[in-house]
Amino acid sequence: MTIKEAIAQRILQLCDENEITLNKLSTTAGITQSTLNDVVHGKSNNPTIKTIYLISSALEIELKDFFNSELFQDLTFND
């Protein structure tokens, strides 16, 4: 799994756990719907830490908790 796939799956997982839509998450996080969609649908090759931080804050978790998932084990990195 690539890092961008893991990030996308983690966002969807957290939305599901918190019963929140991507639209609501984007509004709460203060990022555009298109930015969030690009991350979730793999169009963004390298989501910024700032974007992930805003998402984490909107979900009321720390940044470290975002990455505290089995999804981030055994990643592959593409240039």
Side-chain angles (χ1 to χ4, degrees):
M1 177 177 300
T2 65
I3 186 76
K4 74 177 188 177
E5 291 169 336
I7 290 170
Q9 286 187 26
R10 182 65 170 151
I11 292 169
L12 294 172
Q13 180 184 59
L14 290 167
C15 283
D16 187 51
E17 289 174 8
N18 289 279
E19 298 178 352
I20 187 173
T21 64
L22 289 175
N23 185 301
K24 180 68 175 176
L25 178 59
S26 71
T27 301
T28 305
I31 58 177
T32 64
Q33 177 79 39
S34 62
T35 296
L36 188 57
N37 284 340
D38 285 351
V39 172
V40 170
H41 298 295
K43 293 181 182 177
S44 174
N45 287 326
N46 193 17
T48 66
I49 290 296
K50 180 181 178 182
T51 299
I52 298 169
Y53 174 80
L54 291 171
I55 290 167
S56 298
S57 294
L59 294 168
E60 299 180 349
I61 63 172
E62 293 185 31
L63 188 57
K64 67 178 182 170
D65 296 323
F66 181 90
F67 291 104
N68 187 18
S69 169
E70 291 182 10
L71 293 170
F72 296 100
Q73 295 179 8
D74 301 320
L75 293 175
T76 59
F77 294 88
N78 299 333
D79 293 341

